[in-house]
Amino acid sequence: MYGNSFEEGSYERHAGWYHSQFPDMEKKLRVLRTFKTYQGSIHHWLQDQFFQQLGPLLHDKVASWLTLGDAYGHDAQYLLSQDVKSVTASDLNDNLLQLAKQEGLIHQFQRLNAERMDLESSSLDYVLCKESYHHFPRPYAALYEMVRVARKAIVLMEPQDPLIRMPLLLGLYNVLNRLRSGLIDKVWKNRISYESVGNFVYKVSERELEKFAAGLNLPMIATKSFNPNFWFEGSDQIEAKLSSSKFLRIRLKKMLLDLLMKLGIIPGQTLCLIAFKEVPNTEVLNSLKLAGFRISKIKANPYI
């Protein structure tokens, strides 16, 4: 049994996971050094699908950023490579981040629990949470904390909940639930899914963030669906060239999914969600539109 509560047990399991994967110094250094050498690989190309979504926010090089759940410092490393001056990497366990700083991958780091951050309110411009939100035992607690510590905006990149975007799936869900409770799970296998470290895989939706923003009187959100989930073991060792049969298959699969997504037949695998605490300037708004983001102005609360 871990800790005195479910969430404390989750924190302990997640904090210890990386040590179980990389128990000695040599293995820790090896995984960190792959981020220096994996450029041009399939893994690098896939990660770039995520990082491209940040482009509209990176005009301001002096803005301060915090990366959450960034165990390797990889997200912070990318921001630094784009000449962003102030980037703090953070994670529940900072063992790898200490080494990442020693290796020159990041400049600064902090050990943080995303659900209760030891930071002042509005102390950083942007908070980035990429592929970590679905690990949190209390994701909404983390979301409120992100908004609290950010001055300008928060950015989430997480698996998308397909139900709202797929009317046929929603209809099937309603019909099967009426026929027999639990029947939907035989059709939709990963409706409730967990990862080996013990977390429920929390998927997000545009509507969910829209309601969240309205509840906090935030002025605007921006969302974009995309398809980056083709990682496999060893992808950092194979070049992202069309002469590679594995990369070619990934490109063809991605092209098909992108087409089906554009036609509205299926949702994207992943959703990039940006919640703004202040209306961004014209340059940022234009960049978001050019990058394919859907911008939603939140109706102001007339009673406050």
Side-chain angles (χ1 to χ4, degrees):
M1 182 67 182
Y2 293 89
N4 298 318
S5 64
F6 168 75
E7 60 266 25
E8 293 297 332
S10 179
Y11 303 150
E12 289 186 29
R13 286 191 296 271
H14 280 82
W17 186 87
Y18 289 100
H19 182 70
S20 70
Q21 300 300 304
F22 315 110
D24 55 58
M25 184 67 70
E26 182 181 349
K27 290 183 177 179
K28 286 181 172 70
L29 287 172
R30 189 184 305 147
V31 71
L32 287 173
R33 287 169 181 169
T34 61
F35 295 122
K36 294 181 178 180
T37 60
Y38 86 142
Q39 281 81 3
S41 69
I42 292 176
H43 186 190
H44 181 262
W45 184 84
L46 292 172
Q47 283 296 303
D48 198 50
Q49 305 305 304
F50 287 91
F51 291 135
Q52 286 175 11
Q53 315 311 321
L54 299 175
L57 302 180
L58 299 183
H59 299 289
D60 183 2
K61 304 300 183 183
V62 298
S64 55
W65 285 76
L66 171 70
T67 60
L68 283 178
D70 191 10
Y72 306 107
H74 185 222
D75 303 341
Q77 181 190 9
Y78 173 78
L79 290 168
L80 290 168
S81 76
Q82 301 302 299
D83 297 323
V84 177
K85 305 304 179 186
S86 177
V87 185
T88 302
S90 74
D91 193 61
L92 196 58
N93 184 328
D94 63 1
N95 289 344
L96 283 166
L97 291 176
Q98 293 178 36
L99 292 176
K101 184 177 180 181
Q102 291 176 24
E103 289 291 304
L105 298 174
I106 60 175
H107 295 169
Q108 55 196 28
F109 67 90
Q110 191 166 349
R111 183 176 181 176
L112 288 176
N113 182 333
E115 297 179 5
R116 45 179 188 242
M117 287 188 258
D118 186 21
L119 294 171
E120 296 292 327
S121 297
S122 302
S123 55
L124 300 124
D125 291 310
Y126 296 102
V127 177
L128 168 63
C129 185
K130 170 181 159 285
E131 301 180 278
S132 294
Y133 184 73
H134 68 272
H135 283 282
F136 303 153
R138 301 183 303 160
Y140 268 104
L143 199 58
Y144 283 110
E145 276 290 88
M146 288 181 232
V147 169
R148 182 183 67 80
V149 303
R151 272 191 295 266
K152 294 185 177 181
I154 66 169
V155 185
L156 289 178
M157 296 189 204
E158 290 297 328
Q160 180 163 208
D161 190 333
L163 193 62
I164 293 177
R165 288 294 184 188
M166 294 183 70
L168 288 177
L169 182 59
L170 179 58
L172 181 64
Y173 175 87
N174 291 334
V175 169
L176 292 180
N177 260 354
R178 286 189 179 187
L179 291 175
R180 193 176 74 204
S181 178
L183 189 58
I184 185 64
D185 294 318
K186 297 185 183 298
V187 178
W188 184 3
K189 299 291 187 180
N190 67 341
R191 184 177 73 91
I192 302 292
S193 57
Y194 302 92
E195 292 183 328
S196 59
V197 72
N199 64 282
F200 165 68
V201 180
Y202 195 98
K203 298 179 177 70
V204 298
S205 70
E206 179 181 356
R207 175 58 177 159
E208 187 177 6
L209 188 71
E210 186 179 52
K211 292 187 293 182
F212 173 83
L216 287 179
N217 203 37
L218 303 182
M220 181 179 292
I221 65 169
T223 58
K224 181 182 175 183
S225 296
F226 61 110
N227 296 300
N229 297 335
F230 304 97
W231 181 89
F232 59 91
E233 189 73 39
S235 59
D236 60 323
Q237 303 297 318
I238 302 173
E239 286 188 306
K241 292 184 176 180
L242 293 179
S243 56
S244 162
S245 59
K246 287 191 175 181
F247 183 61
L248 180 59
R249 283 197 295 271
I250 288 172
R251 287 296 301 267
L252 291 174
K253 287 179 184 176
K254 187 177 184 326
M255 287 172 63
L256 176 60
L257 290 181
D258 287 348
L259 176 61
L260 294 174
M261 181 181 72
K262 187 174 182 180
L263 293 173
I265 298 172
I266 63 171
Q269 297 170 332
T270 298
L271 195 58
C272 180
L273 302 157
I274 307 174
F276 290 97
K277 290 184 70 174
E278 58 183 41
V279 177
N281 61 37
T282 302
E283 183 181 28
V284 171
L285 286 173
N286 288 338
S287 293
L288 287 166
K289 291 174 184 176
L290 285 172
F293 278 84
R294 171 186 167 89
I295 297 172
S296 300
K297 294 180 180 179
I298 305 300
K299 180 182 177 181
N301 187 336
Y303 302 104
I304 59 174

